[in-house]
Amino acid sequence: MSDLKIQDILFCAAFAGEIDKLKSDPRIHTFEAGIGELEAAINLQKYLSDPSTWKPKAILGIGSAGVYNWIPRKDWEGKFGISKVFANYQIAFLDKKIRLPESITFKYEFPDLQFPFDGNDFVESATNGTGSVTLEDLSPRALERIKGESLGFENMEAFGLAKVCNLFNIPFGTIFALTNKVGPKGSEEWKLSWRKHSDRLQEKILSYL
């Protein structure tokens, strides 16, 4: 168990429904960063740049994530995902359908972060912060790259938040409700399950106070 306390963390969510239960507890610091990696990054940078705001010892992105199909459903369903490695691979880039400058940073890692959570309810994997939701099955080329870098989760805000935390030298990680398998039915599965799993995740965090 880490010495980091829940009260020392800023929990950043994409929208209010992902932090509503945490927000009701005055001991917990929350921030609604916005949807998508760009909006989340801009808003978190504005927050941290304001000298009047409370400065956390660590930041955790909280919300939901899809799971890539190289991880069997039985290994993640009903559990929570944690990450401290974040990549930014658009699926079209992995399939060589688009080209991006080689100078772009595609990965951030926060190896020194110690999560204040433990137990069999948590699955750790790296997160691909795509900025969009993948609605197709991955090609063999893309799947090989994703699996080769142990990218198990997909989330739209994680990489933007990681980039800002790296800039400000603040330890960063994520804790997700694992809501769906990435692919054609992922968005519909998320719509049906996110509220239930978000409640479970927030209640789990509150249990550590």
Side-chain angles (χ1 to χ4, degrees):
M1 178 68 71
S2 167
D3 292 332
L4 182 67
K5 295 181 173 61
I6 302 295
Q7 298 93 322
D8 298 328
I9 298 169
L10 178 66
F11 289 90
C12 291
F15 60 94
E18 295 180 325
I19 48 170
D20 50 356
K21 290 183 179 292
L22 297 184
K23 197 172 183 178
S24 66
D25 192 310
R27 296 170 293 177
I28 298 183
H29 300 273
T30 62
F31 181 65
E32 187 177 341
I35 297 173
E37 62 179 319
L38 181 59
E39 185 172 356
I42 290 173
N43 289 331
L44 180 59
Q45 184 166 350
K46 286 170 62 178
Y47 174 92
L48 294 174
S49 298
D50 185 342
S52 67
T53 58
W54 173 78
K55 298 303 187 289
K57 292 183 179 179
I59 292 176
L60 289 185
I62 180 173
S64 58
V67 183
Y68 289 114
N69 64 8
W70 66 267
I71 300 180
R73 184 179 284 269
K74 64 180 178 62
D75 291 347
W76 61 264
E77 194 165 41
K79 298 182 179 181
F80 308 111
I82 55 176
S83 289
K84 51 187 177 182
V85 178
F86 306 92
N88 183 217
Y89 296 135
Q90 303 301 326
I91 303 304
F93 170 71
L94 297 181
D95 281 332
K96 297 189 175 181
K97 295 178 180 179
I98 61 174
R99 179 174 294 173
L100 296 173
E102 294 181 1
S103 58
I104 291 178
T105 298
F106 290 106
K107 185 176 285 188
Y108 292 106
E109 302 185 27
F110 299 85
D112 296 332
L113 175 70
Q114 296 296 315
F115 287 97
F117 316 106
D118 57 11
N120 295 330
D121 290 339
F122 299 95
V123 179
E124 185 169 354
S125 186
T127 294
N128 191 27
T130 57
S132 59
V133 176
T134 301
L135 295 178
E136 295 183 355
D137 289 325
L138 269 61
S139 68
R141 182 202 300 270
L143 183 60
E144 181 181 4
R145 182 71 177 272
I146 291 288
K147 184 177 180 180
E149 298 198 30
S150 299
L151 295 167
F153 309 141
E154 181 175 278
N155 173 269
M156 291 175 59
E157 293 76 34
F159 187 80
L161 297 173
K163 187 176 184 71
V164 174
C165 289
N166 180 75
L167 178 66
F168 282 83
N169 198 28
I170 298 174
F172 176 71
T174 52
I175 179 167
F176 295 128
L178 302 177
T179 52
N180 59 275
K181 173 185 170 182
V182 172
K185 298 180 180 179
S187 185
E188 289 303 313
E189 189 179 354
W190 176 86
K191 289 177 184 178
L192 293 172
S193 66
W194 79 265
R195 178 73 268 182
K196 173 182 68 177
H197 291 306
S198 176
D199 287 348
R200 288 180 55 246
L201 175 57
Q202 293 183 71
E203 289 163 5
K204 186 71 173 180
I205 292 169
L206 288 167
S207 74
Y208 279 83
L209 286 170

